[in-house]
Structure formats: C-alpha cells, structure tokens
C-alpha cells in the first residue's frame, strides 16, 4: 500500500482526538434523552460480521434500510434505494445490465470478462454477476449496505463494499398478506404472502408478485408506449428443525421479466430525408431530451428468466456452530436497445446483448464464542459458467451513410451499395442492395472457479476493548474465449451472388469502375477493429489470480453508549478480460481502506460517524472511445482501461425519536476522490484530477405516527435526497457524462422528494396509503449515448424518472 505514512498517521491522530471529544460531549445529550424513558429507538440487529450484533456494536460503516423505509418510497428493487444511502449509486435503467457504485468505485462494464466491485448477497449467498442481481424485492426484511472493502468477511468482488439483503424466514404461526398498488403511467402492482406451519418444527412461506406499467415515454410519431415494466416473480421458503440442534432452510426464487428496453431520446436536430446530419456533432447544437419527442423504429426489448435455489443448514455443536450454505443460480437474458435515438432507417443502429449464466456456490462455516474470543472460520467454492453474445445491427443504407461520412468509398456520391444499385438498374438489372440487414457479433465464454479459506477472530481483551483480526485467501481461475464472427447479411450476400452470376462485376471491371464483390464484402467492425485479423477464429486465454485479504480492527467502548473504532482492511477483485477486444486482460484490483469512527446511542438518539481514506489500484473498466481523435469521423471502439485512484471522506448517519410519534433520520457522505495514476485511452493525463464523484450526497427523512384511538393510526412519511454535481475533469466530456452545452448540464446536482400518507386499521388488518415519488417532478439527464456520434451524426440521451404517484391497499390476517 503506497501511503504517505507520516501525514496519514497525523491525520488519523487528529481525527481520533476529534471523535473522542465528540463522544464525551454526547453525555449531556444522553441525560436529556433519558427524560422520557418510554420513548426509545428500536434496536437494529445486523449480520454484517457474519454474526448477529446490534448495529451500534459493529465497527463497520454501514447503513440499514428496513421494510418500513422500503414501503415509504414504494421500493421495488435495489435501484429504488440508492437515494436513501449516500455514496451508493445504482443504475437500474436496464435490469439485465445494472451497475453499482459505492464510495466512488464501480466496474463500468457489461461484459462477462470482468466482475462487479460491489458484491450483492441474499441471505449470505453471493449473487454473482450484475445481470442476475437486480431482482424484484420479494419478502425482504432489511438491506445492509456495508461501505468500504469487505474482502475478509464477504470475499471476492467486494472491493468497494457489499449489499446484503435479508429475507423473512418462515414463522411458526399462520400468516397472510396481500398488497395492491395502482398509479399513474398505467402502474399495476400486486404481491401476496402466505405463511403456513407444516408441522411442529417446520413452516412454509410462499410469495408472489406481479408488476406492470406502461412507461412514461410515447413514440412521437406513432404514440406507442416506450419503456414500462412487465415482471412477475415467486419465492418459496421452507424451514424445518431436526432434533434440538439442526435447522434446514430451503428457498427457491423465480423471476420472469419481459418488457420494453431502455429508451433513448435523440438530441440532434435532423434535416429532412435523405439529407444527413453533419458530423462530427457540435455539443452546442444538442437538444434538451426533456423537451423534445422521442422517436424509435426498433423493437427495444429486455427479457430475463431467473431461477435460484439455496440450502442453509445450521447445526449446533458443543463448542460452537456449523453452517453449510449451498446455492445454484441460473438466468438467461436478452437486452435489445436502439442506439441512434431516431426513427430514420438510414441512421439505424441497435445493440443486442444475450447472456446465459449458471453459478454454484458452496460455503462451510464454523463459529463459536466464549468469554474471551468470538470467532468465525470457513471455506468456500464458487463456479460460474457464462455465455455472452454482443451484437450490432444496422442496414446497408445506414452503412452507406457511414461510408459517406468517413469518405472512404471510391464512388462519385460517396456510397457503395446505393451507387452499385444505381449501376445495376441502369443496366436493366432490377436488384437493389440498399436496405438489407447487417449484423456483426462477438461471442464470449467464461468459466470461473474460485476457492477461498477465511477466518475472523474478535479478542475481547478487556470489558471495553476488542481487537479483531481477519484473513481470507482467495484463488480465482478464469478460462475465457473470444469469437468475432464475419459480417452476417444473408439477403445482401444472396443479391451479390446473383449479380456475380450475371457477370455484373466483370462488366464493371471492363468499364474501369472500381467496384468488386470483394469491396462490398467487408466488416464495419463496430465492436472491435483489432479483431479483424481473427475473424471467425476462436481465441482462448486462461489466467489465475491469488490474494490474501486481511483486516485489523480495534474498538473501544468509552461507556455503555459510546464506541470508537479504527480499522485497516483490504478488498480484492479478481482480474479479467476485455470481452469486446481480443487479447487484453486485467490484473486483479486491490484496495486498502483505513477508517476510524465513533458510534453513540442513547434512549432517543443515535449517530455514527467515520472518517476513511482508501487507495485503489488497478481499477478495471471498459470504455467506448474515439480511436483517432485527430479524425473527425471514425467508428468508436471498446477498449481496455485501468487506473489508480484514492479518496478521503466522511460518512455520517443519525436517528432521533423526538417524541413517541415523531422520528427523524439523516445520512450524509463527503468524499474527495481523485486519480493518482491515470492516462485515459485518448491520451489525457488525469493524475490528481477528480474522478467525477460528487463531493457531497445526503438523505433525510421524517416519520410521524398519529394514534387515532379506536379509529386506527395515521403514518406520514417525508423523504428528501440530494446528490451533488459531478466533479468534471479534462476527460469527462469525451465520455459524454459531464460538462455543459448550451442546453444541457450533464452531471448537475440532483434532488428528489418522496411523500407517503397511510392509515392502518385498529387491529392492523387493513392499510390504505397514497404516495408520490419525486413530488416536484425534477428530471435530469442521466448521460449521453454517443455510439453513433461520429459515424452517423446522431446522439441519444437518457433521463431520470418523472413524478409518479399512486394508491396502495394492504390486507393482513
């Protein structure tokens, strides 16, 4: 770890001193809080350290989102909670290709060659690749967001942190619940639960949900709905006890998603057909996607089927506990998205990502505790078999426009297929090569095997002092392959064959016209020009990586209400491959995180604050770039990209039960994230420049519960979220994710306000609620899609959701 030891230690010493003063000053608050002993905060129990502990006793920066909070914002998947957790950003526009960022760290790649930097776990089971983790919430009890590297406790691919979902287990009593939600934009949502005891020591819990909406985009020409939701999911869980010491817990999850794909709005004014937009596009000429109509001529679609089965067996031994966790997960998905943002056939480009993924996970864990030690040890095995096809689709008319813009065709009008068709028809041959479908694709396979052994010991040195040491050894082995197939255009090939059979190309050669079948049989190489030399060839590579991930923690309880802690932890993410460029391989990512914190709780008030500094080496990314910045018109390509970065920040959260009915909460993160060693693929030196992560994000909420006596209870919820502006750097505008044009402020600060009012019947069998998310209807540009920027002169944009509202009814018995 490359750290300036003296300045870092000095900074830590000052921070510890400040936290000690803060902890001591909190005693006065404790005295005022005890004035109303009947009004106390609920205790929150978490399993962040693979043990059940109260959150205030866990020396980790973490935030818990409970079921009440999920209901307050009508959250339906992880993409709906990031505004509640400062520092967490989840891109959920495409459920089959989500991305997760925590404390400014993410893996920006949809390919199977790399792994996520934020690990997702469900009941302790690793969720695997991103395409299979953004699933509907089904019977979720709470979500624990652990910030900072969690390599020792959670394992591989938690370099930035971990998100742990905990579901409800079957209960011993009969219970049922049903919820129906209707809202604007055709929203129709329903979920149901039935808990059934199946014996003296066993119970079954079954859940089902369905979620549909029309979406809030309509095609400007046809009025057809674009976007929207269409998903249903089920979950079955069975728990039983064998004797007094053994419990088995079996779950099955199924999801079926079949909906419109991501919507892209074109932001370049188009001249009348057949005129072409100018290239390159001037950003000052961009239109505001919030104020123009959306046009599409593609069958955008997103589809996924998912199944997962897990078995958790707990057995109590005389000296501790043994837990076996087994999991099998499988999904198939397709993501078909229009890239040009127009309904012009001559500008058409789309992308299709198809994936098949199957994983198996097995973990054996032993744990125990006594007066002096609390320990966990175990071993795990993980295997992943993944298949992915990445495609680009267009047509020969659009290819002609690309050729014209690049100026590479040896014809008077700059086209190939149009000019050839004209010559054929002038010679009495009724064949047109214009408008034929054109497909290029990349096929990848991945076989991953990962082994790990780990241990974590808490030494209770004194009644107030705990020392923790943890260590995990991980070995990852990956076998990867690339296959870049030749262009697929069967209709075009048939017509070229017919022209050749008629002697057409031979006649052109006799007239000195330089058009041959070979000239018309080429690949645009939308995805990977370097792969041209390997067209049709299967290329394989196999690599392995090993890592030791330790953590050291000291926590000291100043009194029964106050704990200070310090930790040094390492995170690890396996190396990988660039799925869209043959050959390049990533080395593993390493992050060291130094953190000190203070946790203090009283009867009515609790807060947590921590100061952190991390150094992140070899961050992996795949980027779409302009391969030749000196050429105003060329085809963008995906390239291998790595960088080193470091960040210093502060995390804070609090809860305050002001009265029996009123509860306030708040959370915030300040971070200064910078590159320490990075030159972009375009050649821009960003050493010392900000990485783009905003300095400040925050969320706050207020809940008021009014007791109506014999008439039930009213619950009012108000939530506000804020995310600061993106910190631009010299390379940001090259990626279209930061900067200002005449009408667009990409990366501007964002705010969101959510409100909910609910009534619960006296016996709590009925609940009615009205809710509104993004009450003030603030929409922001998520980012630009510049895939067709240079070759076609088109740019698309995606925007955040508008105001949504609805009515919800729940019945329980």
């Amino acid at each position: 770890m490359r750290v300036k030891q003296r300045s870092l230690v000095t900074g830590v010493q000052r921070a510890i001193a400040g936290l000690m003063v803060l902890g001591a000053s909190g005693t006065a608050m404790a005295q005022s809080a005890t004035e109303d002993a009947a009004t106390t905060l609920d205790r929150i129990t978490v399993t962040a350290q693979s043990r059940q502990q109260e959150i205030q006793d866990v020396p980790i920066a973490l935030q818990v989102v409970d079921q009440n909070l999920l209901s307050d914002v009508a959250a339906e998947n992880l993409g709906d909670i990031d505004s509640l957790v400062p520092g967490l950003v989840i891109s959920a526009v495409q459920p089959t290709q989500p991305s997760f960022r925590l404390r400014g760290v993410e893996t920006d790649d949809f390919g199977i060659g790399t792994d996520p930097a934020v690990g997702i776990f469900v009941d302790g089971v690793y969720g695997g690749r991103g395409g299979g983790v953004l699933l509907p919430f089904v019977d979720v009890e709470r979500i624990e967001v652990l910030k900072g590297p969690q390599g020792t406790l959670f394992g591989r691919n938690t370099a930035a942190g971990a998100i742990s979902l905990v579901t409800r287990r079957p209960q011993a009593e009969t219970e049922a619940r049903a919820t129906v939600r209707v809202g604007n934009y055709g929203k129709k949502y329903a979920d149901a639960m039935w808990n059934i005891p199946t014996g003296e020591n066993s119970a079954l819990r079954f859940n089902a949900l369905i979620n549909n909406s029309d979406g809030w985009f309509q095609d400007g020409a046809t009025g057809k709905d674009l976007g929207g939701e269409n998903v249903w999911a089920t979950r079955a869980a069975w728990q039983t006890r064998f004797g007094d010491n053994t419990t088995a817990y079996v779950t099955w999850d199924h999801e079926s998603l079949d909906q419109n794909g991501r919507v892209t709005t074109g932001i370049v004014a188009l001249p009348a057909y057949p005129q072409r937009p100018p290239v390159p596009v001037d950003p000052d000429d961009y239109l505001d996607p919030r104020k123009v109509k959306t046009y599409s001529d593609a069958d955008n679609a997103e589809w996924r089927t998912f199944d997962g089965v897990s078995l958790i067996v707990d057995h109590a031994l005389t000296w501790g506990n043994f837990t076996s966790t087994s999991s099998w997960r499988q999904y198939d998905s397709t993501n078909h998205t229009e890239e040009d943002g127009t309904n012009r056939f001559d500008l058409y480009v789309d992308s299709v990502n198809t994936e098949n993924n199957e994983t198996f996970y097995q973990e054996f864990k032993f744990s125990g505790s006594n007066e002096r030690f609390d320990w966990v040890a175990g071993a795990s095995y993980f295997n992943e078999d993944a298949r992915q096809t990445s495609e680009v689709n267009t047509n020969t008319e659009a290819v002609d426009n690309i050729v014209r813009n690049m100026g590479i065709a040896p014809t008077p009008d700059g086209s190939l297929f149009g000019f050839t068709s004209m010559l054929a028809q002038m010679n009495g041959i009724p064949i047109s090569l214009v408008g034929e479908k054109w497909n290029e694709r990349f096929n990848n396979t991945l076989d991953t095997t990962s082994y790990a052994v780990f241990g974590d010991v808490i030494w209770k040195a004194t009644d107030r002092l705990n020392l923790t040491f943890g260590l995990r050894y991980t070995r990852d082995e990956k076998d990867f392959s690339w296959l870049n197939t030749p262009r697929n255009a069967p209709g075009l090939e048939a017509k070229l064959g017919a022209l050749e059979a008629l002697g057409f190309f031979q006649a052109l050669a006799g007239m000195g016209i330089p058009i041959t079948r070979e000239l018309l049989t080429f690949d645009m190489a939308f995805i990977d020009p370097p792969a041209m030399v390997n067209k049709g060839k299967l290329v394989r590579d196999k690599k392995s990586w090993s890592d030791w991930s330790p953590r050291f923690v000291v926590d000291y309880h100043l009194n029964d209400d106050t704990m200070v802690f310090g930790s040094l932890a390492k995170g690890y993410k396996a190396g990988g491959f660039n799925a869209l460029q043959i050959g390049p391989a990533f080395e593993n990512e390493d992050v060291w995180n130094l953190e000190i914190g203070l946790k203090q709780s009283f009867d009515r008030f609790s807060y947590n604050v921590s100061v952190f500094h991390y150094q992140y080496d070899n961050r992996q990314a795949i980027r779409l770039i302009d391969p030749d910045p000196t050429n105003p018109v060329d085809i963008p390509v995906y390239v291998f990209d790595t960088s080193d970065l470091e960040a210093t920040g502060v995390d804070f959260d609090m809860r305050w039960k002001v009265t029996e009915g009123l509860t306030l909460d708040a959370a915030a993160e300040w971070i200064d994230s910078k590159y320490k060693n990075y030159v972009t693929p375009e050649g821009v030196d960003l050493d010392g420049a900000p990485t783009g992560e905003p300095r400040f994000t925050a969320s706050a909420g207020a809940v008021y519960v009014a007791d109506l006596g014999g008439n039930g209870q009213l619950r009012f919820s108000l939530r506000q979220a804020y995310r600061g502006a993106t910190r631009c750097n010299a390379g940001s505008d090259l990626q279209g994710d930061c900067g200002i044009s005449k009408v667009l402020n990409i990366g501007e600060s964002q705010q969101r306000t959510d409100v909910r009012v609910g009534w619960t019947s006296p016996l709590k069998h009925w609940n009615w609620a009205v809710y509104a998310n993004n009450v003030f209807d603030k929409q922001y540009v998520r980012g630009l899609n510049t895939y067709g920027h240079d070759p076609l002169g088109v740019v698309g944009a995606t925007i955040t959701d508008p105001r949504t509202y609805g009515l919800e009814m729940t019945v329980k018995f």
Side-chain angles (χ1 to χ4, degrees), residues 616-636:
Y616 203 115
D617 294 332
N618 204 38
R619 180 190 64 97
Q620 306 169 4
I622 301 293
R623 287 182 54 183
L624 186 68
I625 72 160
D626 181 348
D628 183 7
T630 64
N631 182 359
V633 181
D634 50 19
I635 297 176

Side-chain angles (χ1 to χ4, degrees), residues 540-590:
R540 306 190 70 94
D541 196 2
K542 187 174 183 179
K543 291 186 180 295
S544 61
W545 301 267
S546 299
D547 178 75
W548 293 93
S549 298
R551 77 166 185 145
F552 309 92
V553 184
V554 179
D555 66 84
Y556 183 77
H557 292 256
L558 299 175
N559 52 51
D560 292 342
D561 304 316
T562 308
M563 178 184 75
V564 292
F565 69 90
S567 69
L568 177 65
K570 182 187 179 186
Y572 159 77
K573 186 162 85 71
F577 302 89
N578 182 347
L580 298 179
Q581 191 176 51
I582 293 176
F586 298 105
E587 292 304 317
N588 57 283
E589 296 183 13
D590 294 326

Side-chain angles (χ1 to χ4, degrees), residues 362-441:
Q362 176 64 54
E363 179 185 82
F364 297 111
K365 183 173 67 178
F366 297 89
S367 61
S369 63
N370 54 40
E371 292 183 356
R372 284 298 180 191
F373 295 98
D374 188 329
W375 57 274
V376 175
S380 67
Y381 168 84
F382 175 80
N383 179 260
E384 177 183 20
D385 184 9
R387 301 289 183 270
Q388 184 179 48
T389 299
S390 302
E391 303 176 57
V392 171
N393 294 289
T394 185
N395 60 72
T396 52
E397 188 172 4
V399 171
D400 260 352
N401 278 334
I402 294 174
V403 169
R404 286 191 182 99
N405 289 334
M406 297 180 71
I408 60 176
T411 61
D413 69 348
S415 72
L416 288 175
F417 302 105
F419 186 73
T420 303
S421 300
M422 181 188 68
L423 292 177
Q425 292 161 13
M426 289 174 60
N427 286 275
I429 303 175
I431 292 179
S432 174
L433 305 181
V434 177
E436 293 296 330
K437 292 183 179 180
W438 183 294
N439 170 274
E440 296 185 25
R441 65 180 59 190

Side-chain angles (χ1 to χ4, degrees), residues 318-360:
T318 56
W319 45 266
N321 291 278
F322 166 75
T323 301
S324 170
T325 301
S326 308
S327 171
W328 171 85
R329 297 164 66 91
Q330 192 274 335
Y331 69 86
D332 296 296
S333 68
T334 296
N335 187 299
H336 182 185
T337 304
E338 184 179 40
E339 302 290 350
D340 59 280
T342 77
N343 60 355
R344 286 267 297 263
F345 187 72
D346 64 320
L347 302 174
Y348 183 86
V349 181
D350 75 28
S351 64
V352 182
N353 184 75
T354 305
E355 188 175 347
N356 170 267
N357 187 285
E358 183 175 9
T359 63
F360 175 76

